[in-house]
Every structure is written in structure tokens, then in C-alpha cells.
């Protein structure tokens, strides 16, 4: 059987799983673990790096019955080797991580974006517009055309095209500038918010944290208030691209600037290496009339399993204990289904608490720490 | 300021004399230094003995001392901020400071203050040092004044922070973070090169910017594989004599992450006290944690070596190689201010000035 046919079949099963998760009764067509293991077996046969990891760990995927048995590939590996079951010629998208001073950017090749898009839209609809897509979109990233290797750009492009209201992207890359410096279109944002106010049509602001900080610092006297029902999705850290602002402080500033309730400011957690995303559940709870869960607790979709593992043994920690995040993401059909990060988390029945990156070993004077070389580009 | 060369040289020589006593296990001072370093350095007792007996710069040649004096500035006072990395680094830093100024203030590392504290005490009790105007004082905080020199050793963040906090007119010499790499040329015998690299990795448990964290082997992946195997054997041999010190939880986590990463991209060899990783087709150079963990990659050409090291060029403090082939020349061109040493000699720089020759 050709890998493409296997891949297509697995994608179809994952999309069925996602669709079933959206259905009223939410009965999965098959167990998560069985599907995850089938994907892992496919990848062990066709993704050399994953196959090496499986061999090195001595894992018998044929005998395994739990997704916990799947060895997780460290996110750094996306930077070091190609993680794909297909050849580069079959790529329909190649998402890249932001740069580091260590050189190559991480790459996540996709031979279809259908599963990614379905999952992103499905979970976005549940957590960002559970009340329906009658929203305008004010997007503070470049367009997908301007930044085709951005997974965030891909997702937000789909969001903007799915939502009913007017949408516009308000970050422009200077094509004449070799550094492709980004410019925030402050007047365009103000115009979009004014239009939303005039039409009384709620809008969603979709943005990175650092773009929001730049907006707040540069807005001057511009009126950014949005009509009732509006909301803000913010994602990502700062990576030296703006002043760092504590989450509570930034949320407060966004509440004031856009005139939205605190629960309507929703954090997103995503990474290039994953096909799925997590969101804070504050907006969905508020719109459903439920008590809003605290900010900082993220909800994973049913097709993404998040567990906390010990940073040394990589074995699961006790429930409620802090560990580093291990993801089993069914949307990663053609790369690696299990991804290991260095992000500290606590998994509770309420969701996933994000606690920041695992601190590196203490700096040893002139000896550079690996951490020090990350995230400066 | 009038600080004659003879006085500067005499102060450095008294500093070296104190270091010589510290290196000698046969006297009380040497024994006291050993006990203190075992308690604070994080090295095993054997590691401390290796550091003091083999890697303390106690026999400089006149030419090296000339170079040290020539590379040092002159100031009425020199303030020295030390880091905890290489437990013997205080000797060189103090030698440069005493060459710079008769009056030296030292803020030792809070984590590993041992050698700086003991050398300062030894100099304070040395009438010959005092007779050439030398004083060295331990301080908790730096209060540099215009005209003074401030020598900073530590992470880039520490250097930046203290530099920005120093008043105008203070000459700051910052020695921030860096790393070493070793190059194995096409003509090098692999077993010899592996043993030499192991001798560069073992001291100070690979801490410090003189230690090679990565090895670039000229040739194909099979040659890199053979080198990695030889290095595994060499490190196992040397580690049996000089065990690694205990590692903290954060370092253990970094090693676990490195292991998992290399298991996916290549081959891994783990000993009780070391890890070797091989990436046979490197797209980027992975920098492993500094705990006797060595990353080996093949490079087919000088251009490939430069491409891999390019993103790290500003961090390269030391380059080890035993030939002058194309790869060595390319890396020297990439990092012209890095120290260059023969394999096996990376941890033995002459006492000719600061270890870190990069300008900050």
C-alpha cells in the first residue's frame, strides 16, 4: 500500500473523529488510543526520525494498546531533520517556527491541510464563537499570502474566511525591506473598530501578544472600542519583539482598549509543531452562562491529548503535579503524532495550566546555556 | 596613572605564586583549597584534583606574562566580578586584575566563592605583594568610579546588567557567555583525536567556554560515527579515573531532552558520566548541555562547517584543532577572536591575558 493511501485513510479517520466530536452526542467513531497508535505505526514505517526514536526506546507499537506508549519527539527535532512521511514534492504547506540564534527554523510539512483546517475551525468555533460566526475579524498578523509559512497565519486566514463579518489583516510586511519588517496598520485597525461600532456588529480581534502590546503602545488617541459581544484572541509570547507584559496586565489593558469583558479575552496556545490548538474556556463559559473558569487554564480538543511528564524520566507525573507537556495530536498524521515540549504544565480536570518554559540549567558563568541561544532571533 | 611595569609584573607573579601553593597538595593551603572546592565547585574530588594539578596556570613563561601585561589596561582600581563556572578561573581573572591596578576589589561568585576567597586571603598575607602596592579586597557589591576598570565574568545577561549599571568613565571589560568547538581534520587519527577531545571535555565537567560542546569531523557520516565511538571509549576511560560531579535536576532534564532529540536524529552513546550524540545529517548544530555531553557532526566541506557554526560565531570562544586544513581555516575566519588550541590543549590556555579574547 502506498504511503499516500495510508495517509489518506488516516486523515479520513481523524476528520471523522473531529466531526464526531462536534456532533451533539459527541460519540467518537473509534477510541482515541487506537487511532493514535495506528498513526504512530504508519509514521514508524515512513518517518525515519520517528522510526529511530521508536527503535531507540525499544517500543513495540504493534503490541501497544495505549497512546502513552508512543515515544514523543522533542519539538527541537523539527529544526534538525525533516519529519514527514511524504517527500518534499508532496508538501502542500510547510509551516516554519520563528528563528533562533541556533540556526535552522523548525519545519512542519503537510501533504494536506484539510485535517488541520477542520480541527482548527472546529475547536475555534467551540471556544471563540460558540454563539455563531456573525463576527467581523480584525486580524493583527500579516495575510497568509504574505507569510505562507506561518501556521498561525494559515489558521487565522481560515477563521477570517469562515466568520460572516468583514475581515481584514492589519500587519503589513515591507516587501522592499530585506528584513521584511512588520508594520502595524494603526489607522486600519481604528477604522475597523469604528465600522464595528457603527454597524453594532461584534468583532473578534485575532492577534499575537506582541502585536497587541505594540498596538496599545502606539494607538495614541485612537478609539478601539468594540460593540457588545466582541472578543479578543491573543496568542504567543513576546520573544523579544515587544516589551513583555504580564498576562493579567495585558488582559486588563485589552479590556479597557476594546471595551470587552475580561472573560472575552481568550488565550490561545498553539505551536508550529502541532496541528491542534488549545484555548482558555472563559468566553465559552460566559456565553453559556456558566461561571467563567480562571484565565491560564486551557482546554484541549478531544483529538489532542495533553499530559504532564517528568522532565528527566519523561514518564507521566501524578495527576495534578507539574511536569513538561507531552502532546498526542491526531491532527499530526504525516509528521509525528506525539510531541514533547519543554513547557511546564499542570493537567487538572479543569484543563491544562501553562506555567512557562522549563528553566534551563543555571547559567555557569561563561558557559553558554542552551536556553540562552533560543528565542533571540 | 603611574604604575610601573615592574610593579604590575611583580603583583602578577605574587598572584601566580599563590596559585602555585594552591596547586600543591602537599601544603596546608593546597589542602584547604581542595577541601573548599570539593564543597563548592560541584566537581568530584578527582575533578578538583585534576583542575588544580593540571589546569591551574602556575608556570607562565616570561613571554606569556609580557602578553598578559600588554593586553591589560592600567587603572587606579580594578573591580572584578567572578562567575561560578570553572573553579580555577579566579586565578587568571585575579592575575589580569592585579596587572591592571594595584587596588583590586573582588566580588566572588555566590555559588562558588572558594578559590577567589582563598587566593585573596593568601595575597593579603603576602608581604611581597603588599610591597609593590597590591591590595585585594573581597566585596559584596561593586562601587566603581570613573577611571576604574570593571572586569565582568558571567552570563551575557549579567554582563549587560552590570555594564549598564556602571557609571560613565568606568572601563568595562565584559567576558560573557561562549562555547568551544573541536574540529577533527581529515588527516587526524581518530583514536588520537578522540582521546584529545576527551581530555578537553573531562576537566571542569565541560563547564566554561574552553570546553568543546560540539565536534565537527571532516568527512562523511561513517567517519563521524567512528569518531563518536572512539570518543565514547575515551570518555569512559577517563571518566573512570575522574568521575563527573553530581548534576542538578535542571541539568538532568536538559540531558534527557538532548538524549531524546538525538535518538530521533542519529545515534547516541551514554556512559555513566557522559553522553555522545551523533547527527549524521545535520541541518543545524545542536548545542548540548554542559555536563560531559558532546555532539558530533560530520562536515564534508569548509563551507558546510561555516554554515553550521555561522549562527553561533559570536559565541565561539575556543576552537580546537590539530591541523590547518580548510575547515580549520574556515572556522578561524568565522571566529577570528576565538582562542585556537590544539586538540587536547583547549583547557590549557597560556596565562597571557583573559581566556575570552572576544571584544564586548
Amino acid at each position: 500500500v502506498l504511503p499516500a493511501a495510508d495517509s489518506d485513510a488516516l486523515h479520513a479517520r481523524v476528520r471523522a473523529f473531529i466531526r464526531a466530536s462536534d456532533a451533539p452526542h459527541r460519540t467518537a467513531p473509534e477510541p482515541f488510543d487506537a487511532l493514535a497508535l495506528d498513526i504512530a505505526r504508519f509514521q514508524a514505517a515512513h518517518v525515519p526520525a520517528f522510526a529511530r526514536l521508536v527503535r531507540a526506546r525499544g517500543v513495540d507499537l504493534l503490541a501497544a494498546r495505549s497512546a502513552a506508549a508512543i515515544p514523543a519527539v522533542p519539538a527541537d527535532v523539527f529544526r534538525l531533520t525533516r519529519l514527514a512521511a511524504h517527500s518534499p514534492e508532496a508538501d502542500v504547506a510547510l509551516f516554519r517556527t520563528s528563528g533562533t540564534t541556533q540556526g535552522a527554523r523548525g519545519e512542519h510539512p503537510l501533504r494536506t491541510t484539510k485535517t488541520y483546517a477542520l480541527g482548527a475551525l472546529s475547536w475555534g468555533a467551540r471556544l471563540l464563537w460558540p454563539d455563531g460566526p456573525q463576527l467581523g475579524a480584525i486580524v493583527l498578523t500579516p495575510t497568509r499570502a504574505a507569510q505562507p509559512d506561518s501556521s498561525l497565519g494559515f489558521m487565522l486566514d481560515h477563521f477570517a474566511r469562515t466568520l460572516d463579518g468583514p475581515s481584514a489583516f492589519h500587519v503589513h510586511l515591507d516587501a522592499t525591506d530585506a528584513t521584511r519588517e512588520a508594520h502595524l496598520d494603526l489607522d486600519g485597525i481604528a477604522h475597523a473598530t469604528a465600522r464595528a461600532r457603527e454597524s453594532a456588529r461584534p468583532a473578534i480581534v485575532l492577534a499575537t501578544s506582541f502585536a497587541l502590546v505594540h498596538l496599545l503602545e502606539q494607538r495614541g488617541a485612537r478609539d478601539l472600542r468594540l460593540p457588545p459581544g466582541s472578543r479578543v484572541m491573543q496568542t504567543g509570547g513576546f520573544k523579544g519583539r515587544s516589551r513583555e507584559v504580564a498576562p493579567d496586565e495585558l488582559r486588563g489593558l485589552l479590556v479597557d482598549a476594546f471595551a470587552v469583558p475580561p472573560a472575552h479575552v481568550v488565550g490561545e496556545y498553539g505551536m508550529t509543531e502541532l496541528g491542534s490548538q488549545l484555548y482558555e474556556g472563559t468566553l465559552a463559559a460566559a456565553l453559556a452562562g456558566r461561571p467563567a473558569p480562571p484565565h491560564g487554564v486551557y482546554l484541549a480538543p478531544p483529538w489532542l491529548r495533553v499530559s504532564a511528564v517528568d522532565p528527566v524520566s519523561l514518564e507521566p507525573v501524578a495527576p495534578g503535579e507539574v511536569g513538561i507537556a507531552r502532546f498526542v495530536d491526531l491532527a499530526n498524521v504525516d509528521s509525528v503524532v506525539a510531541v514533547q515540549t519543554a513547557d511546564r504544565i499542570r493537567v487538572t480536570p479543569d484543563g491544562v495550566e501553562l506555567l512557562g518554559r522549563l528553566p534551563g540549567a543555571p547559567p555557569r558563568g561563561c558557559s553558554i546555556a542552551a536556553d540562552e541561544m533560543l528565542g533571540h532571533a | 596613572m603611574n604604575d610601573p611595569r615592574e610593579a604590575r609584573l611583580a603583583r602578577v607573579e605574587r598572584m601566580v605564586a599563590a596559585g602555585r601553593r594552591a596547586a600543591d597538595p602537599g601544603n596546608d593551603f593546597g589542602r584547604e583549597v581542595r577541601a573548599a572546592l570539593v564543597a563548592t565547585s560541584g566537581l568530584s574530588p578527582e575533578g578538583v584534583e585534576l583542575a588544580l594539578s593540571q589546569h591551574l596556570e602556575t608556570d607562565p613563561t616570561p613571554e606569556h606574562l609580557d602578553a598578559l601585561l600588554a593586553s591589560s589596561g592600567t587603572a587606579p582600581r580594578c573591580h572584578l566580578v567572578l562567575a561560578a563556572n570553572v573553579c580555577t578561573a579566579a586565578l587568571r581573572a585575579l592575575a589580569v586584575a592585579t596587572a591592571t591596578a594595584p587596588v583590586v576589589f573582588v566580588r566572588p561568585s555566590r555559588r562558588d566563592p572558594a578559590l577567589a576567597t582563598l587566593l585573596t586571603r593568601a595575597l593579603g598575607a603576602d608581604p611581597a605583594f603588599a610591597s609593590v602596592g597590591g591590595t585585594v579586597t573581597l566585596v559584596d557589591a561593586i562601587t566603581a568610579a570613573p577611571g576604574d576598570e570593571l572586569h565582568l565574568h558571567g552570563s551575557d545577561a549579567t554582563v549587560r546588567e552590570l555594564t549598564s549599571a556602571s557609571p560613565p568613565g568606568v572601563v568595562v571589560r565584559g567576558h560573557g557567555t561562549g562555547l568551544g568547538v573541536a574540529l577533527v581534520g581529515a588527516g587526524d587519527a581518530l583514536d588520537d583525536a578522540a582521546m584529545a577531545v576527551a581530555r578537553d571535555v573531562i576537566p571542569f565537567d565541560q563547564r566554561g567556554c574552553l570546553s568543546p560542546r560540539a565536534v565537527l569531523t571532516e568527512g562523511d557520516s561513517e567517519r563521524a560515527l567512528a569518531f563518536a565511538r572512539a570518543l565514547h571509549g575515551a570518555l569512559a576511560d577517563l571518566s573512570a579515573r575522574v568521575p563527573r560531579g553530581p548534576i542538578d535536576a535542571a541539568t538532568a532534564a536538559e540531558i534527557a531532552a538532548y538524549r531524546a532529540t538525538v535518538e530521533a536524529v542519529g545515534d547516541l552513546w551514554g556512559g555513566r558520566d557522559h553522553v555522545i550524540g551523533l547527527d549524521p545529517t545535520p541541518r543545524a548544530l545542536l548545542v548540548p548541555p554542559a555536563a560531559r555531553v558532546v555532539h558530533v557532526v560530520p562536515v564534508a566541506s569548509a563551507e558546510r562547517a561555516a554554515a553550521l557554526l555561522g549562527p553561533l560565531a559570536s559565541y565561539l570562544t575556543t576552537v580546537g584543532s590539530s591541523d590547518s586544513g580548510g575547515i580549520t581555516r574556515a572556522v578561524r575566519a568565522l571566529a577570528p577572536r576565538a582562542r585556537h588550541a590544539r586538540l587536547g590543549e583547549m583547557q590549557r590556555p597560556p596565562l597571557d591575558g583573559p581566556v575570552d579574547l572576544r571584544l564586548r
Side-chain angles (χ1 to χ4, degrees):
Chain A
V1 180
L2 292 172
D6 285 347
S7 166
D8 287 344
L10 288 166
H11 275 287
R13 287 167 64 187
V14 173
R15 289 198 291 269
F17 192 100
I18 292 170
R19 287 193 195 95
S21 304
D22 265 351
H25 301 299
R26 294 182 184 170
T27 304
E30 60 181 314
F32 178 99
D33 292 86
L35 183 47
L37 282 164
D38 276 353
I39 294 171
R41 290 171 192 129
F42 164 75
Q43 292 169 351
H46 300 292
V47 183
F50 183 63
R52 271 194 294 270
L53 185 61
V54 170
R55 279 198 304 273
R57 299 280 176 81
V59 175
D60 182 354
L61 287 173
L62 289 176
R65 292 292 173 266
S66 163
I70 302 170
V73 175
D76 211 18
V77 176
F78 284 79
R79 196 171 62 80
L80 298 170
T81 192
R82 179 176 167 87
L83 290 170
H86 56 281
S87 65
E89 295 74 34
D91 288 350
V92 299
L94 185 65
F95 294 147
R96 289 191 172 93
T97 62
S98 55
T100 74
T101 52
Q102 285 195 58
R105 297 162 66 187
E107 293 184 350
H108 191 171
L110 279 71
R111 61 174 287 275
T112 171
T113 56
K114 285 182 188 168
T115 307
Y116 188 111
L118 178 68
L121 286 171
S122 176
W123 201 234
R126 289 263 285 275
L127 277 301
L128 296 177
W129 58 91
D131 48 344
Q134 297 79 29
L135 294 167
I138 301 171
V139 190
L140 273 57
T141 69
T143 62
R144 172 147 168 72
Q147 216 171 22
D149 62 357
S150 165
S151 57
L152 178 66
F154 175 87
M155 181 178 83
L156 298 187
D157 180 70
H158 274 65
F159 284 4
R161 286 193 280 118
T162 299
L163 296 170
D164 286 345
S167 65
F169 290 72
H170 298 284
V171 174
H172 306 303
L173 296 178
D174 187 345
T176 63
D177 182 346
T179 62
R180 287 172 62 77
E181 191 174 335
H183 301 281
L184 200 56
D185 177 12
L186 297 165
D187 290 333
I189 297 166
H191 179 70
T193 58
R195 200 165 52 162
R197 286 195 302 275
E198 288 158 16
S199 65
R201 176 194 280 271
I204 181 168
V205 177
L206 301 161
T208 57
S209 301
F210 60 84
L212 289 166
V213 170
H214 282 306
L215 172 63
L216 295 170
E217 288 182 341
Q218 298 168 17
R219 60 183 281 210
R222 293 176 182 86
D223 186 353
L224 301 178
R225 286 173 302 154
L226 289 168
S230 297
R231 60 213 64 179
V232 178
M233 184 212 88
Q234 56 160 326
T235 185
F238 298 94
K239 297 179 181 170
R241 296 185 206 180
S242 74
R243 179 172 69 91
E244 297 225 359
V245 181
D248 287 349
E249 181 188 351
L250 179 56
R251 194 177 310 112
L253 294 170
L254 295 173
V255 164
D256 290 342
F258 292 113
V260 296
H264 287 220
V265 180
V266 179
E268 186 256 13
Y269 175 90
M271 48 194 292
T272 304
E273 295 86 347
L274 296 179
S276 303
Q277 304 79 34
L278 298 89
Y279 295 97
E280 291 174 327
T282 52
L283 174 73
L287 293 176
R290 299 193 305 268
H295 281 282
V297 179
Y298 289 72
L299 303 178
W303 55 92
L304 174 67
R305 184 175 290 172
V306 189
S307 50
V309 300
D310 181 88
V312 176
S313 70
L314 303 181
E315 293 294 325
V317 300
E321 294 292 315
V322 174
I324 54 175
R326 167 195 154 91
F327 296 95
V328 178
D329 186 355
L330 299 184
N332 276 15
V333 171
D334 295 309
S335 53
V336 287
V337 70
V339 176
Q340 182 64 59
T341 76
D343 289 336
R344 292 167 68 245
I345 60 165
R346 179 188 288 116
V347 181
T348 71
D350 295 329
V352 180
E353 292 176 44
L354 300 178
L355 305 169
R357 192 177 161 81
L358 185 72
R364 297 188 190 284
C366 68
S367 178
I368 194 162
D371 252 14
E372 201 166 349
M373 285 181 281
L374 293 168
H376 291 297
Chain B
M1 91 154 263
N2 183 24
D3 188 13
R5 182 185 183 284
E6 294 72 23
R8 297 170 65 211
L9 177 61
R11 293 196 299 267
V12 174
E13 288 175 336
R14 295 315 302 162
M15 185 74 252
V16 172
R20 212 171 283 132
R21 294 205 305 281
D24 182 357
N27 67 44
D28 287 345
F29 187 60
R31 284 190 286 275
E32 184 180 6
V33 168
R34 279 162 175 75
L37 288 181
V38 166
T40 62
S41 69
L43 300 177
S44 66
E46 296 86 348
V48 168
E49 185 58 43
L50 176 72
L52 289 172
S53 63
Q54 303 293 320
H55 296 279
L56 202 58
E57 303 92 345
T58 54
D59 292 305
T61 65
E63 292 75 21
H64 291 149
L65 292 179
D66 284 346
L68 186 147
L69 292 174
S71 67
S72 303
T74 55
R77 287 169 300 276
C78 183
H79 307 261
L80 176 60
V81 176
L82 291 168
N85 52 339
V86 170
C87 66
T88 58
L91 175 65
R92 179 186 296 265
L94 276 164
V96 173
T98 56
T100 301
V103 178
V104 174
F105 298 97
V106 186
R107 194 186 87 180
S109 154
R110 277 184 284 274
R111 207 147 24 99
D112 187 6
L115 191 60
T117 304
L118 292 170
L119 288 175
T120 299
R121 192 187 76 193
L123 284 176
D126 181 357
F129 185 68
S131 73
V132 287
T135 67
V136 181
T137 307
L138 294 174
V139 294
D140 292 326
I142 294 297
T143 53
D148 291 356
E149 282 211 10
L150 173 58
H151 296 183
L152 302 173
H153 297 257
S155 68
D156 282 351
T158 300
V159 169
R160 273 195 305 271
E161 180 188 337
L162 294 179
T163 299
S164 64
S166 66
V170 174
V171 177
V172 180
R173 298 181 193 268
H175 304 290
T177 44
L179 81 163
V181 297
L183 312 174
V184 176
D188 290 339
L190 291 187
D191 285 344
D192 295 344
M195 184 51 74
V197 170
R199 285 201 301 271
D200 289 328
V201 170
I202 292 285
F204 313 109
D205 288 355
Q206 206 187 14
R207 297 172 196 167
C209 49
L210 295 177
S211 301
R213 305 270 281 276
V215 181
L216 279 59
T217 61
E218 189 170 5
D220 61 15
S221 59
E222 286 303 310
R223 188 163 187 263
L225 176 68
F227 173 81
R229 285 183 174 139
L231 181 60
H232 175 49
L235 280 172
D237 285 348
L238 293 186
S239 292
R241 280 177 266 162
V242 184
R244 185 175 62 189
I247 55 174
D248 55 49
T251 304
E254 287 189 345
I255 292 172
Y258 174 79
R259 292 181 72 109
T261 301
V262 173
E263 280 172 345
V265 300
D267 294 293
L268 189 94
W269 296 263
R272 192 192 62 183
D273 288 338
H274 72 272
V275 176
I276 312 288
L278 167 68
D279 182 351
T281 53
R283 240 168 58 177
L285 193 65
L286 188 59
V287 178
R292 297 192 187 177
V293 184
V294 185
H295 192 65
V296 179
V297 297
V299 285
S301 65
E303 292 73 23
R304 189 69 196 127
L308 281 174
L309 289 174
L312 301 173
S314 66
Y315 293 110
L316 287 180
T317 321
T318 317
V319 176
S321 72
S322 295
D323 74 357
S324 55
I327 287 177
T328 296
R329 289 198 302 276
V331 176
R332 284 187 175 182
L334 190 69
R337 294 195 177 93
R339 272 189 182 268
H340 293 272
R342 291 183 64 77
L343 297 179
E345 301 291 328
M346 292 176 69
Q347 296 273 18
R348 299 170 190 276
L351 188 60
D352 58 359
V355 159
D356 183 2
L357 302 179
R358 298 169 298 164
L359 292 178
R360 293 278 172 176

